[in-house]
Amino acid sequence: MVTICIGKVDQAKGQKIQLDANELVSNDEFALPEKNAFGNSFRDYEADNGRKDIVEQHYKSSHINQTYDFVKQMREEYMKLDKAEMGIWECCELLNEVVDDSDPDLDEPQIQHLLQSAEAIRKDYPNEDWLHLTALIHDLGKILVLPKFGGLPQWAVVGDTFPVGCAFDESNVHHKYFKENPDFNNPKYNTRNGVYIEGCGLDNVLMSWGHDDYMYMVAKENGTTLPSAGLFIVRHHSFYPLHKYGAYSQFMNEEDKENFKWLKVFNKYDLYSKSKVLVDVEKVKPYYESLIAKYFPAKLKW
């Protein structure tokens, strides 16, 4: 068991799907729970549940080490996609070896989180199969902690994401640790817009390196036919400064703003579906295998 302590997204090739989150009607059957599996509020980083110190140490390491140059180095290395060849479900099964300790809300293997999210969305939005599959794959990049995929340190895989190359917004959790990041006092990177221009599009913004950007890269480079909104969700589902506070929104273009509506739909299922009630993996596996075959090749390069 490995415990981890813790754009303009290009239009996908192939099938075109017309999406409008404003017009989507849900059954609204998913009730938002008030407490997580530990009896605390969701995303409560101050709760004394035995995980607080671990999570804070994770963010300290992340905020000190996630620099503009580090992210460029990681993207160049992992763009090679030379770590493995395997299918999506095979990757899902690898997550049986991963428990995300950056998450204050759940300590179950990650495959359960993926299926809990996907099944909750499937219940409320039965006709949006691309969204079911997006939920299934959104955290697959956490395989980066495994030796075969580089065995990256915990801070380079999980946790909230944020742009690099511009000032670190104070809405980032444990913001105080950014003061030890080399970019913090670099005049090239420490202004509001940094190396970017307003409205440039989030696809042109480097995000802190981790499982989000890696899985986005894998899906895109292997020719997935998921719609643009699905890829946007994969890349930005951990971008909580934007989700919760609207931070860094000056970089969004019109496509980002449309896709963000879908990310907000997805977000409540990603966060609030975490439960100690486990999904029967073998029961739901055939359905998700059919979606994988629809939107992905049988084997992908990782």
Side-chain angles (χ1 to χ4, degrees):
M1 178 73 69
V2 175
T3 300
I4 54 179
C5 291
I6 291 264
K8 176 173 98 179
V9 179
D10 291 345
Q11 177 64 43
K13 302 174 184 177
Q15 180 180 1
K16 293 184 179 179
I17 302 174
Q18 296 299 319
L19 304 174
D20 188 343
N22 290 326
E23 296 179 0
L24 187 63
V25 177
S26 162
N27 294 332
D28 284 330
E29 295 179 357
F30 182 67
L32 301 184
E34 294 182 359
K35 302 293 183 181
N36 64 17
F38 301 103
N40 301 312
S41 299
F42 284 87
R43 286 182 57 83
D44 183 352
Y45 291 96
E46 299 303 320
D48 187 12
N49 59 5
R51 301 162 69 84
K52 177 178 178 293
D53 291 342
I54 293 174
V55 173
E56 182 168 351
Q57 185 60 45
H58 161 78
Y59 280 105
K60 179 179 180 180
S61 297
S62 170
H63 293 351
I64 292 172
N65 292 290
Q66 289 273 7
T67 65
Y68 187 81
D69 288 343
F70 171 77
V71 171
K72 289 182 66 177
Q73 177 187 345
M74 288 294 99
R75 294 194 104 246
E76 181 178 349
E77 169 62 26
Y78 282 92
M79 183 63 80
K80 298 173 185 176
L81 299 177
D82 60 357
K83 304 296 185 285
E85 287 194 21
M86 61 180 172
I88 291 289
W89 190 264
E90 187 178 353
C91 185
C92 290
E93 291 179 334
L94 286 181
L95 289 193
N96 279 322
E97 299 301 313
V98 175
V99 174
D100 183 349
D101 277 353
S102 75
D103 186 345
D105 298 322
L106 191 66
D107 61 354
E108 297 293 343
Q110 285 296 292
I111 192 170
Q112 280 297 324
H113 167 52
L114 300 183
L115 289 171
Q116 287 169 352
S117 300
E119 284 293 282
I121 292 175
R122 180 183 176 190
K123 183 178 181 180
D124 284 2
Y125 300 96
N127 297 322
E128 308 298 328
D129 67 356
W130 68 272
L131 194 56
H132 312 165
L133 184 58
T134 298
L136 182 74
I137 71 166
H138 77 281
D139 273 350
L140 291 187
K142 291 179 180 181
I143 59 173
L144 288 173
V145 303
L146 301 176
K148 185 175 182 179
F149 299 89
L152 293 185
Q154 302 150 351
W155 54 263
V157 180
V158 296
D160 292 4
T161 59
F162 49 87
V164 295
C166 60
F168 302 115
D169 192 88
E170 291 187 0
S171 63
N172 285 288
V173 64
H174 295 303
H175 177 271
K176 61 186 178 182
Y177 294 118
F178 282 119
K179 293 179 180 179
E180 299 179 56
N181 185 302
D183 291 352
F184 187 83
N185 292 312
N186 187 329
K188 183 178 180 180
Y189 302 134
N190 67 2
T191 62
R192 181 172 184 266
N193 292 337
V195 299
Y196 311 111
I197 59 173
E198 295 194 6
C200 64
L202 291 178
D203 64 319
N204 292 310
V205 174
L206 287 185
M207 301 295 295
S208 55
W209 177 251
H211 71 280
D212 314 64
D213 209 17
Y214 176 57
M215 188 59 212
Y216 163 77
M217 187 183 297
V218 168
K220 182 180 174 183
E221 295 302 315
N222 280 280
T224 181
T225 55
L226 281 174
S228 175
L231 290 173
F232 186 89
I233 289 169
V234 169
R235 189 173 190 231
H236 297 298
H237 67 270
S238 301
F239 191 5
Y240 276 92
L242 176 64
H243 301 184
K244 191 170 182 179
Y245 302 104
Y248 307 104
S249 59
Q250 73 268 24
F251 300 133
M252 298 173 75
N253 60 21
E254 290 305 312
E255 184 176 8
D256 293 331
K257 292 173 184 177
E258 287 302 309
N259 287 337
F260 186 67
K261 298 172 185 176
W262 282 99
L263 179 56
K264 295 293 284 185
V265 170
F266 171 83
N267 182 248
K268 75 173 184 178
Y269 297 93
D270 183 23
L271 180 58
Y272 295 108
S273 66
K274 298 170 184 176
S275 170
K276 287 290 188 179
V277 179
L278 304 185
V279 176
D280 185 335
V281 177
E282 293 305 313
K283 182 178 179 180
V284 301
K285 181 179 177 180
Y287 173 70
Y288 290 101
E289 286 186 318
S290 73
L291 297 189
I292 291 167
K294 180 178 179 179
Y295 290 104
F296 280 94
K299 293 287 186 181
L300 290 77
K301 293 182 178 180
W302 300 77

